[in-house]
């Protein structure tokens, strides 16, 4: 491969393998640290309320972590296919490779791995990310990929998500990412790579979000049912029972607050009652 204007004509800059998302890792570590801290102080909570607090706090941590973490995940829609495809522009050479696509709320990640990795006197191992998060221009990133001379399969998939593509995927996923709408349910346009078609399916982030939504729906329904049928059980779970406090006595469903100072001074007794 010869130099052109002092740079390699194909892929002039070094490739960087995409590892685990750093923001996603930070979110997980922070919430795990908070959960661990709570578990350390849990033995200091006395009685049965200890287990109520355990369930409530851990559920809150899980739901909060999931809501934040999926925003940084590229596992909303994933697909992978092995195919025989053209490799680079202006060349009839074809390679046997595995192509992967990951779609997240802030962009896509495309991988191209040769099978075997060494073909055409090159190492075929690409991992490219194209982002459309706020403040970034996806079309410019695609133009840069063209100038870098990325392989045809990478450019083909990246082109499908450009604003000018007739597939409309850029508008669909950009809106889904910015507003977290249900537009991810719209089917993808056909993606053909050489002799095979890339079939996508919902990834881990989608299913975790769906499971969390169902869990929240079930918990909300249970709380509403307890509030109507067994309010005392709900008060116990929410740790709202008042026991042993001076100047407070429970009478059936009324909480009566009496002022003992008025009694000592001979003044008129003042009682404040509220229904529970």
């Amino acid at each position: 491969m010869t130099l052109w204007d002092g740079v390699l004509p194909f892929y002039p800059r070094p490739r960087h393998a995409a590892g685990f998302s750093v923001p996603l890792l930070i979110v997980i570590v922070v919430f795990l640290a908070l959960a661990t801290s709570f578990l350390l102080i849990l033995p200091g909570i006395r009685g049965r309320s200890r287990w109520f607090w355990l369930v409530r706090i851990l559920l809150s941590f899980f739901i909060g972590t999931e809501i934040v973490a999926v925003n940084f995940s590229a596992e909303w829609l994933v697909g992978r296919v092995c195919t025989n495809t053209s490799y680079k522009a202006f060349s009839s050479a074809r390679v046997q490779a595995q192509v992967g696509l990951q779609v997240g709320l802030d962009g896509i990640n495309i991988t191209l791995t040769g099978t075997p990795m060494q073909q055409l006197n090159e190492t075929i191992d690409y991992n490219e990310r194209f982002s459309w998060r706020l403040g970034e221009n996806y079309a410019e990133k695609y133009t840069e990929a063209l100038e870098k001379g990325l392989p045809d399969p990478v450019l083909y998939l990246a082109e499908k998500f450009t604003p000018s593509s007739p597939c409309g995927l850029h508008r669909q996923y950009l809106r889904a990412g910015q507003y977290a709408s249900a537009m991810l349910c719209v089917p993808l346009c056909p993606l053909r790579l050489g002799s095979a078609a890339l079939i996508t399916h919902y990834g881990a982030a989608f299913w975790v979000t769906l499971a969390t939504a169902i869990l929240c729906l079930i918990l909300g329904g249970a709380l509403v049912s307890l509030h109507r049928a067994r309010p005392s059980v709900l008060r116990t779970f929410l740790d709202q029972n008042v026991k042993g406090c001076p100047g407070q006595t429970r009478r059936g469903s009324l909480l009566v607050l009496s002022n003992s100072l008025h009694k000592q001074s001979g003044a008129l007794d003042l009682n404040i009652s509220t229904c529970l």
Side-chain angles (χ1 to χ4, degrees):
M1 190 176 294
T2 59
L3 291 175
W4 180 72
D5 283 350
V7 297
L8 294 173
F10 295 111
Y11 215 104
R13 285 182 281 181
R15 285 170 282 184
H16 301 282
F20 197 76
S21 171
V22 175
L24 179 59
L25 181 61
I26 293 175
V27 169
I28 294 176
V29 170
V30 168
F31 278 93
L32 283 178
L34 292 174
T36 302
S37 301
F38 171 73
L39 291 177
L40 290 177
I41 66 173
L42 185 64
I45 303 177
R46 297 181 179 180
R48 189 172 54 180
S49 62
R50 174 189 306 171
W51 306 110
F52 297 149
W53 276 102
L54 175 65
V55 173
R56 290 160 55 187
I57 296 300
L58 291 186
L59 272 176
S60 300
F61 279 152
F62 170 74
I63 295 174
T65 303
E66 191 277 334
I67 291 175
V68 177
V70 294
N71 286 278
F72 303 103
S73 174
E75 295 286 329
W76 281 91
L77 199 71
V78 296
R80 190 172 297 274
V81 65
C82 290
T83 182
N84 183 279
T85 180
S86 60
Y87 184 41
K88 291 180 178 177
F90 312 111
S91 173
S92 59
R94 301 180 71 85
V95 295
Q96 188 72 27
Q98 184 180 72
V99 184
L101 172 66
Q102 294 175 305
V103 183
L105 296 180
D106 61 350
I108 64 174
N109 193 81
I110 303 172
T111 59
L112 175 68
T113 307
T115 53
M117 194 173 292
Q118 296 290 336
Q119 297 182 50
L120 304 178
N121 297 322
E122 293 186 32
T123 300
I124 303 176
D125 186 17
Y126 292 81
N127 201 323
E128 299 295 328
R129 177 155 186 83
F130 299 86
S131 176
W132 53 60
R133 63 168 59 95
L134 291 175
E136 298 189 14
N137 191 318
Y138 185 93
E140 289 182 0
K141 292 184 177 296
Y142 176 70
T143 302
E144 292 177 1
L146 289 173
E147 294 174 351
K148 290 165 63 176
L150 293 183
D152 283 353
V154 177
L155 294 175
Y156 170 78
L157 290 178
E159 188 274 334
K160 293 293 185 181
F161 289 85
T162 57
S164 59
S165 173
C167 287
L169 297 178
H170 179 81
R171 181 177 64 256
Q172 169 188 332
Y173 283 93
L174 177 65
R175 289 179 179 176
Q178 291 181 351
Y179 305 108
S181 68
M183 297 185 69
L184 283 169
C185 299
V186 179
L188 276 172
C189 67
L191 302 174
R192 295 205 62 86
L193 295 160
S195 58
L198 178 63
I199 306 300
T200 59
H201 58 274
Y202 295 127
F206 177 87
W207 294 115
V208 170
T209 302
L210 179 61
T212 303
I214 295 175
L215 175 62
C216 292
L217 184 62
I218 294 174
L219 291 176
L223 289 177
V224 171
S225 299
L226 284 176
H227 175 70
R228 293 183 176 276
R230 301 287 299 277
S232 60
V233 175
L234 182 60
R235 283 196 299 270
T236 301
F237 180 74
L238 297 178
D239 199 27
Q240 291 183 348
N241 282 335
V242 182
K243 299 179 180 179
C245 295
Q248 298 184 10
T249 59
R250 182 174 297 278
R251 298 177 181 177
S253 60
L254 295 178
L255 180 63
V256 181
L257 307 178
S258 59
N259 193 329
S260 58
L261 295 178
H262 282 73
K263 290 184 178 181
Q264 294 176 2
S265 61
L268 181 65
D269 188 17
L270 178 63
N271 290 332
I272 302 176
S273 302
T274 180
C275 295
L276 299 179

